[in-house]
Amino acid sequence: MNLVVAPLLIPLATAFLCALAQPSPRLQRVLSLGGALTLLICATVLLQQVLIHGAVSMTAGNWPQPFGIQFTADRLGVALVLVAALMVTIAVLWQESDVDAAPSSPALHPLLHGLVAGANGAFLTADLFNLYVWFEVALICSLGLLAQGGALRQLDATLKYFALNLVGTLLLLTAIALLYAATGHLNLVALGDAAARQDPAIMLPLIGLLLVAFLVKAAAFPFFAWLPASYHTLPGPVLALFSALLSKIGICALIRILAGVFQPGQALLCDLLGWIALLSMVTGVLGAAYHWDMRRILAFHSVSQVGYMLLAIALASRAGDAAAIFFALHHSLVKAGLFLTAAMIFRHAGHYDLRRVGGLYAARPGLAAMFLLLALSLVGIPPLSGFWGKYLIVRESLLQGEYLWAVTALGVGALTLYSMMKIWFEAFWKPHPDKSWQLPARPRLKPAYIGLGALVLVTLWMGLYPEPILGFVIDAAAMLRGETP
């Protein structure tokens, strides 16, 4: 079905048209928003098709399997594509405001849509080498967005991001080459079937090497340094898009590999993944507690939240996979919303450093309410969306007898509350340290509030009416494992 590759073709075509429209910035913005909205509509239609017909596939050139390059839209992939479409729409709309928008440049919109194309390709591909290709498309566009502006801190962040992700790229290529040598296949279904017939002593280190490459891409311990070293240099809408997509590419790949390809999961690798998850959770939340820059606090919390997703994957069960998918969707929306809220605080109070802002509760009570809803959802306060994600993870951990994993997840949640309340008290509750501070005159806020409000409404729906999304992710996990929903 051609609709399966539409989430790749639409952002690629939009990027191409935006590149051609460089002489006219206004036309470029119109094309960019039109492409984002088209992608959002296409993702919604594709989701409906998957809900009705199940997973849908397309093989390029009608080559017979397992030789053709295959794309498959299943529940996991199409849900992440829908998130990507929503986030790029919000990012492009946000650019019409003056709330920490990205500097206007001819390359900005082509790079935004190129990043989305790379992420969507990684979410939908059913071929291991093709997964590497789309990883690199996303990486190249990410580097371009990081370097926008050309300031020293941005170039420094770009170098760190590139160096650490290059390690993951080399590991991924090596793992792909060795797996192909051992099995003769790159198609994920054929690869799984062939691996099951191989000597486990040979396959275990190869699968382990592949998982390490994905852990680098997901920003897990001890490979997470690229994320807090680079995210704080990005403008608000680009930072929100990065947060929603980049680590999820690695998480999606890990879920597919351990649940769908090399299933049943390797027990030793899953145990190791569980301990890596705990270290990611603890390291991330402690890093967040240490910092005062809102972007750094939220970036370290992204590392911590990746740990929750890894913990769910490490449980190696249908319920664990469902928890990982739910948590990935929740985190993409909530964390993006928090980064955008931080940009709003910056616009109103004049700084990202919590020690240099304040007084926003009285001045902007609506913004305070939106931040509080998103922050409490990140913490996991019932009945918000974060509660259901953490409940699924803790419940499955206890059922499997992994009591330390469950206790750690709950303890990290308490430390997350500390960081969120630090932002609340410093930015909203205490007076502004500058006695002469006033709200900026006539700011262009409407596009920013529309985007942020949309994220808040979606996350509220996920928390207050969780049955549809919980049923969706449980069926998604069953499809990955070849079980009957």
Side-chain angles (χ1 to χ4, degrees), residues 123 131 135 139 161 164-169 171-172 210-228 231 242-255 273 276-277 280-281 284 298-311 313 328 331 335:
F123 296 149
L131 176 63
F135 262 133
L139 174 61
Y161 179 91
L164 292 168
N165 274 274
L166 181 61
V167 174
T169 295
L171 290 174
L172 181 57
L210 186 64
L211 297 188
V212 170
F214 292 147
L215 289 172
V216 175
K217 300 294 184 180
F221 181 91
F223 313 110
F224 63 84
W226 62 266
L227 193 153
Y231 273 25
F242 271 46
S243 172
L245 297 185
L246 289 186
S247 62
K248 307 312 176 301
I249 298 175
I251 292 295
C252 178
L254 282 166
I255 295 173
L273 186 63
I276 291 172
S280 299
M281 292 160 63
L298 296 173
F300 271 102
H301 272 304
S302 290
V303 176
S304 180
Q305 303 295 304
V306 164
Y308 279 96
M309 293 175 243
L310 296 179
L311 183 58
I313 298 170
H331 179 263
K335 183 54 67 67

Side-chain angles (χ1 to χ4, degrees), residues 232 288 290-299 351-355 422-423:
H232 69 284
Y290 171 79
H291 283 283
W292 288 90
D293 185 295
M294 286 181 286
R295 294 167 300 182
R296 288 186 181 271
I297 291 172
L298 296 173
H351 214 280
Y352 275 108
D353 191 325
L354 289 172
R355 294 166 292 191
K422 182 167 73 171
I423 296 176

Side-chain angles (χ1 to χ4, degrees), residues 104-190:
S104 180
S105 76
L108 173 63
H109 290 282
L111 289 172
L112 286 174
H113 291 279
L115 171 60
V116 172
N120 286 349
F123 296 149
L124 297 177
T125 186
D127 178 275
L128 192 57
F129 185 78
N130 208 30
L131 176 63
Y132 157 76
V133 171
W134 293 110
F135 262 133
E136 295 314 296
V137 171
L139 174 61
I140 292 168
C141 294
S142 301
L143 291 170
L145 290 167
L146 278 165
Q148 288 280 298
L152 180 61
R153 66 189 185 91
Q154 293 166 327
L155 296 177
D156 177 68
T158 304
L159 179 61
K160 292 174 180 176
Y161 179 91
F162 172 71
L164 292 168
N165 274 274
L166 181 61
V167 174
T169 295
L170 294 175
L171 290 174
L172 181 57
L173 267 178
T174 303
I176 290 172
L178 293 174
L179 283 168
Y180 182 71
T183 65
H185 292 287
L186 292 174
N187 179 274
L188 295 182
V189 175

Side-chain angles (χ1 to χ4, degrees), residues 343-413:
M344 296 286 278
I345 294 170
F346 168 76
R347 180 66 182 88
H348 289 307
H351 214 280
Y352 275 108
D353 191 325
L354 289 172
R355 294 166 292 191
R356 300 174 64 176
V357 300
L360 286 177
Y361 178 77
R364 287 287 184 265
L367 179 62
M370 286 192 285
F371 169 80
L372 195 61
L373 286 170
L374 293 169
L376 294 179
S377 182
L378 188 75
V379 173
I381 301 298
L384 301 173
S385 60
F387 166 76
W388 298 108
K390 291 184 179 180
Y391 167 77
L392 293 172
I393 294 171
V394 172
R395 179 178 180 274
E396 183 65 13
S397 298
L398 293 174
L399 289 175
Q400 293 192 18
E402 300 291 354
Y403 302 113
L404 179 59
W405 293 8
V407 170
T408 303
L410 294 172
V412 168

